[in-house]
Amino acid sequence: MDTEIITEAEVDSADLILRAVAFAAHKHRDQRRKDKDASPYINHPIQLATVLWEEGGVRDPEVIAAALLHDTLEDTETTWQELRGAFGEEIADVVLEVTDTKWIKKEVRKRLQVARAAHSSDKARLVKLADKICNLRDIAAHPPHGWPLERKQQYFDWAKEVVDQLRGTHPELERRFDEVYTLKP
Ligand code: ZN
């Protein structure tokens, strides 16, 4: 058996990432995705983390943790204070940055995401980029139940508008986005 030396920093990273996946799995435990199989919600944040890690080569454990946690503020009862307590202020703030304000009307919220994208932190930009890649792949492969063609097309175009504000963040992930955008229905 290989005896690899694992540094303390690597142990800390693995610890952080495992805690984030466990926290998110617990928070999203009763939620399902909108695809026809109604797959468990947690698959989505795990997908983001996987895209960042495997396709983007992103090794910053705070970005991976934030990706795993990215929908907890928006879609569960989680508070920013709770995230800060468990994961520290920086991760809590990245999650906040990628959170849509629910009480704002949907169309306005979508405009706001485009407007805010350009002013996001580097960590938040990476999470947003991965989110848009995953969402377009999902819509292309397993369209949400009951979405008419026009709604899918609008989603693709809106995602591109957001990503266009993030250009220069990570060329390889941007290329992956452009690749999936060609699947626009
Ligand atoms: Zn998401």
Side-chain angles (χ1 to χ4, degrees):
M1 211 178 109
D2 266 337
T3 44
E4 276 184 67
I5 311 261
I6 297 177
T7 66
E8 215 166 297
E10 286 167 334
V11 172
D12 288 348
S13 301
D15 175 70
L16 173 64
I17 291 166
L18 279 176
R19 282 194 301 112
V21 81
F23 183 97
H26 178 70
K27 293 293 187 177
H28 291 296
R29 66 193 178 282
D30 295 324
Q31 296 170 332
R32 293 283 179 271
R33 302 225 75 206
K34 289 183 201 142
D35 57 67
K36 77 169 185 349
D37 296 333
S39 46
Y41 198 88
I42 188 64
N43 291 4
H44 168 64
I46 291 175
Q47 212 114 58
L48 255 73
T50 307
V51 163
L52 288 164
W53 184 273
E54 285 182 2
E55 300 180 42
V58 174
R59 294 293 179 263
D60 179 344
E62 296 203 334
V63 174
I64 303 297
L68 290 165
L69 299 166
H70 83 281
D71 275 334
T72 56
L73 288 181
E74 195 169 310
D75 293 332
T76 77
E77 300 297 298
T78 309
T79 63
W80 177 86
Q81 284 80 356
E82 200 181 350
L83 285 178
R84 182 182 58 178
F87 301 102
E89 192 161 300
E90 192 167 11
I91 290 175
D93 280 347
V94 175
V95 176
L96 184 61
E97 271 190 274
V98 302
T99 297
D100 273 350
T101 316
K102 280 242 155 128
W103 50 265
I104 297 177
K105 263 177 55 192
K106 196 168 156 210
E107 306 84 77
V108 181
R109 230 191 290 151
K110 295 216 156 200
R111 294 316 309 162
L112 196 60
Q113 238 197 76
V114 176
R116 283 165 72 194
H119 310 287
S120 302
S121 68
D122 287 343
K123 288 178 204 249
R125 284 162 168 259
L126 288 169
V127 175
K128 278 177 198 229
L129 208 42
D131 197 25
K132 295 295 176 271
I133 292 171
C134 291
N135 286 339
L136 291 201
R137 283 180 182 170
D138 281 345
I139 292 171
H142 321 275
H145 201 64
W147 273 32
L149 177 64
E150 202 193 356
R151 182 156 179 205
K152 290 181 228 167
Q153 290 171 333
Q154 280 170 354
Y155 192 94
F156 266 66
D157 286 338
W158 167 74
K160 186 171 180 301
E161 266 192 273
V162 175
V163 168
D164 283 344
Q165 300 298 315
L166 305 169
R167 301 262 174 203
T169 301
H170 192 301
E172 175 57 20
L173 289 176
E174 288 155 37
R175 195 186 66 74
R176 304 265 177 165
F177 176 85
D178 293 335
E179 210 170 70
V180 66
Y181 182 78
T182 64
L183 301 176
K184 179 181 161 184

